[in-house]
Amino acid sequence: MELIGEIFGAHPELALFCSLALGYAIGKITIGSFTVGSVAGCLLAGVLVGQTGVEISDDLKQAFFMLFLFSIGYRTGPQFFRSLNASALPQIAITVLLCVVALVAAALLAPLMGLSVGIAAGLLAGGATESATLGVAIDAFAKTGADEAAQQIFDAEIATGFAVAYFVGVIATIFFHTQLAPRFYGRSLKEACAEYEAKLDDDSTPIVPQHRDFEARAYRIAPKFAGHTVAEVEARVPDHVRAYIDRVRRGDKILPTSRDMVLQDNDIAAIAGMRSFLIDHANEIGEEVEDPELLDLPVETDDIVVTNSELVNRTLGELSTYPEARTVFLRGIMRSGERLPIFRGVTLHKGDVLTVSGTRSHITDAAAKLGYLDRETSKTDMVFVAFFILIGGLIGIPALKYGAVELGLGTSVGVLLGGLVAGWLRSVRRTFGFVPEATLWIFDSVGLCVFVACVGITSGTSFVAGVLESGPSLIIGSLAIVLLAHGSAIFVGHKVFKINEGVLAGTCCGAGTSAPALAAVQEAAQSQVPTLGYGLGYAVGNVLLALWGSVIILLLL
């Protein structure tokens, strides 16, 4: 240990990477349906490494935390600003209620249990399963004018509170929504989601099947279809099947098609569509022939981001009637980092990312109608990223003095707001500000894990004593926060707003920004319906719970 302490003391950067290696390894540990997670793993690893007495720069900790805050703002910005309308009020109300009850519960439990400010802030962050609350609270406490010794004690206490409460909070949230809530509903999540899926699609058939079910074949047009338009022939395809005439060989020429193109005798058509349909029915159009040149269709898969206000709040079923939709195949929908189910009744939101397959020209046409084509690239617009972190931080600096406390947003909340605006601008105009998903993962996961690892390292020497002293109170407190916050949310959502139980569970998981809970709920429901509520709750919950990091400090000082 002495040798390790000497090495880490001379090279604290190695201590940090040791914490990350151990933390991500610990995070992979799974017990039943519960996974420790990289955040809790890195915090515990940091505590372990911190026993060597190594010191890590606070500036490094804050820099990585700002990258994390920017990433969640950037990812949820489109969803957050889209939610500011009347149709989203029920889900917003549920999210706000859950977050407010969590804050009030933590603020009331602190004096009742004799918890210090640091332990109470950690209890709120862990019980609400929101890591951003941790960093914002540390930033807020630093602005109270506390000396270095008081700051170190606070950091150790908040790390202790968060570590214990987070474990209990995640497990309790999963248990609550998968076991307790269905008893209150009077039926299982599986039944509720199946009912909702039936509403989204009358025959519960996904609007598109798997990728392997699509192919292209060549057919010589039967004489009975000569003189008919492409649209008239394609109209014979059932509504739930996607098939279209991509191009036509006429003599020695290969011609692109349009819906008003008139087919002629002896035309050979390249028909792309579902394999089962082509095998069973396409021979009604004509005789299948070999034509490798005609079937040489360069198919690619790209992402399209929805920004066209005229198409927002339209269902997939409505969009499937547009001419641009007939020549592309929908592979998936992502919203706030979560994959949505694909049913005809699913409504598109601004900022949704549609993964589609088709020829380059057809995908380009569809992208022009929906929004912007987001072709894969590895380049990050760091000018854009750094600028909005800077502007957000500057906005958060101004504050009013109230005794020893500065009342203001703080740089942390300012950077989060900067990320929200950046993400929204990117969704409106996709010609700048691109941040690849891989980069967002680095900002989000590594940014947060470096931060919590630094917190763990700083508090390492006093962590164990804090757990032994406050552990029972933290377990009781975090259970109380989960039961009160999530209990009040599902009661109002179910009894007052009549929200489907699956969507309601997803909204609550989003409000608590708990991806593990969402995964458990989806597993219990055997459905992706909960993700339809998760995005909005996640966007609003992130902002409120991060802000609560400052509020809890003001309430308890």
Side-chain angles (χ1 to χ4, degrees), residues 75 270 279 365 385 399 412 492:
R75 193 189 297 276
I279 292 175
D365 291 342
V385 172
S412 297
V492 174

Side-chain angles (χ1 to χ4, degrees), residues 55-101:
E55 296 183 1
I56 299 291
S57 168
D58 283 341
D59 294 334
L60 174 68
K61 178 176 67 177
Q62 283 302 114
F64 274 92
F65 186 60
M66 286 185 175
L67 288 176
F68 161 69
L69 289 173
F70 174 85
S71 71
I72 61 175
Y74 182 90
R75 193 189 297 276
T76 62
Q79 182 80 356
F80 177 79
F81 286 105
R82 187 210 66 82
S83 69
L84 304 179
N85 61 70
S87 64
L89 283 178
Q91 284 182 268
I92 293 177
I94 294 303
T95 302
V96 172
L97 174 64
L98 189 151
C99 294
V100 169
V101 171

